[in-house]
Amino acid sequence: MEALLEEHEKLVKKGNLSKSVEDVQKTIDLLVQARESIAANPHSAPVTLAKLQTPVKASFETVNSDLKEVYKGLGNYSKALDKKFKDKPLPTTDHDPLANHPVLMNRAVAMHLLREGQFSVASTFLIDASKQPRSESGTPNARQTEDDAATASLRSENLRRQFAEMYHILHALKNERNLLPAIAWAKKNGELLETRGSNLEFELGKLQFVWLFTGGPNPGGPRALSQQQALRYARQELAHFQRRYLKEITQLSGAMAFCPNLAQSPYRRIFHNEDAWEDLANSFTREFCSLLGLSADSPLYIAATAGAIALPTLLKLQTIMKEKRTEWTTQHELPVETPLPPAYHFHSIFVCPVSKEQTTDDNPPMMMPCGHVVAEESLRRLAKGSRFKCPYCPNESRQEDAKRLFM
Ligand SMILES: [Zn+2]
């Protein structure tokens, strides 16, 4: 990976087009100058043009040699890419469950583009997708009608507008450190957010207070003035949060006592938290999407990332299967486990691999010392009161050694 990063850095430094652009501009300047002098004095045309020949030719040569560097950089980079990511065929099965659902796939792609704020790309994509061939009979069947309805909802102006609003608010928050659009949105949707148990509105107000307190738009300005502004803001906007967030509000007011020396005070984390803006931007995105009935991250992004994580394991599996001449026989299930990061665990249900039943509070999942998990009933049946071998590995354990897992 390091060789790749090195080549990438070289490419950014040397392989960029800025020098070529500069030199092309010089040529254009030469030509414009000549045109102006000919326009001013038409009789000078032959002389001016003759004088132009050598410098223009030279400038073309310069541009060409500028580009050589770019081509070289690109060549080296793609060589490094090829070396790192060898061309391996992707694992395949005869049955591709997604092949029959082009509309669902298109919908996922379009939705991802919308969520990324790529509105014009999304609309071009949707137009192209709608031109794809349909069923042979020509009359749409029930599923197609349903699919059409699904994509039509994506074409709707409403969804586009809502994501545009989200990007506008996020831009102000992240790039301009302006919380007001987000605060206005949270106020407008206060009731819905409240029902969800969200504390976004308060967190926004709190950060606005901290921002004002530490100088707001004028960080180097007189301290007394910024504190007054913050206090006024707190009285106007934070007072009605007192019942629910008394502790946090008390902390904010308590911090005033440490004012000249907040950085060394117990309140340092509230007033000097570099991550606060990024965290708030994330929770804003999460709340905004949830009010639209969507998850915070694009499902396509999550699926593609999970797939990329799983790929090396699947490739290895395919090689082993080929060597041993075995087949992948389990349906709707991968024959190997794919470890994913905790953020990618969505449905905390556990199905006992022995009894194939979903665990419940009465029959909870139990982890044996080797780390394998089965349902309590299966554990009891396996153990029968004595030492037993784990069904998944050679380790032995006793029923008493297993620990209950909470999900
Ligand atoms: Zn085990």
Side-chain angles (χ1 to χ4, degrees), residues 368-373 390-395:
M368 293 170 277
C370 59
H372 288 112
V373 183
C390 165
Y392 294 95
C393 75
N395 285 315

Side-chain angles (χ1 to χ4, degrees), residues 177-342:
R177 298 234 152 169
N178 175 7
L179 288 164
L180 297 178
I183 291 174
W185 178 86
K187 238 185 206 169
K188 197 174 79 191
N189 294 285
E191 234 169 87
L192 285 170
L193 289 172
E194 179 80 36
T195 337
R196 270 179 51 77
S198 157
N199 54 3
L200 180 69
E201 200 184 344
F202 175 70
E203 289 297 329
L204 286 166
K206 185 173 136 190
L207 190 59
Q208 178 74 356
F209 173 84
V210 170
W211 180 72
L212 287 171
F213 196 85
T214 47
N218 185 15
R223 201 181 276 155
L225 193 70
S226 41
Q227 283 165 17
Q228 268 172 24
Q229 277 179 336
L231 265 180
R232 204 176 314 132
Y233 179 81
R235 275 197 208 105
Q236 272 170 13
E237 304 291 340
L238 297 183
H240 70 281
F241 286 114
Q242 256 181 21
R243 270 187 63 189
R244 198 168 146 201
Y245 298 98
L246 187 62
K247 192 175 149 217
E248 283 87 346
I249 291 177
T250 318
Q251 280 178 346
L252 290 181
S253 14
M256 304 243 172
F258 289 87
C259 180
N261 204 8
L262 266 177
Q264 265 82 45
S265 79
Y267 304 104
R268 192 169 58 106
R269 280 201 40 188
I270 305 176
F271 286 82
H272 297 272
N273 180 3
E274 276 309 307
D275 302 328
W277 293 82
E278 192 60 37
D279 291 348
L280 208 51
N282 289 339
S283 56
F284 167 76
T285 313
R286 200 167 48 241
E287 296 301 338
F288 195 100
C289 288
S290 79
L291 291 199
L292 290 178
L294 301 167
S295 58
D297 284 314
S298 150
L300 184 66
Y301 171 79
I302 290 171
T305 312
I309 296 172
L311 209 49
T313 316
L314 296 180
L315 283 170
K316 199 171 170 191
L317 172 79
Q318 201 174 38
T319 325
I320 294 171
M321 284 200 312
K322 219 178 257 168
E323 274 167 16
K324 301 206 166 169
R325 294 168 192 267
T326 51
E327 297 243 333
W328 178 339
T329 49
T330 41
Q331 251 192 356
H332 306 298
E333 194 182 322
L334 287 174
V336 280
E337 262 187 65
T338 314
L340 290 176

Side-chain angles (χ1 to χ4, degrees), residues 385-406:
S386 61
R387 280 182 81 83
F388 67 100
K389 189 190 100 46
C390 165
Y392 294 95
C393 75
N395 285 315
E396 288 191 355
S397 54
R398 282 172 310 186
Q399 191 179 339
E400 312 85 87
D401 297 336
K403 284 198 173 74
R404 179 175 174 179
L405 292 187
F406 292 89

Side-chain angles (χ1 to χ4, degrees), residues 59-73:
S59 68
F60 275 138
E61 271 157 22
T62 322
V63 171
N64 273 334
S65 73
D66 291 344
L67 284 176
K68 252 180 227 156
E69 199 64 45
V70 178
Y71 288 134
K72 200 176 129 198

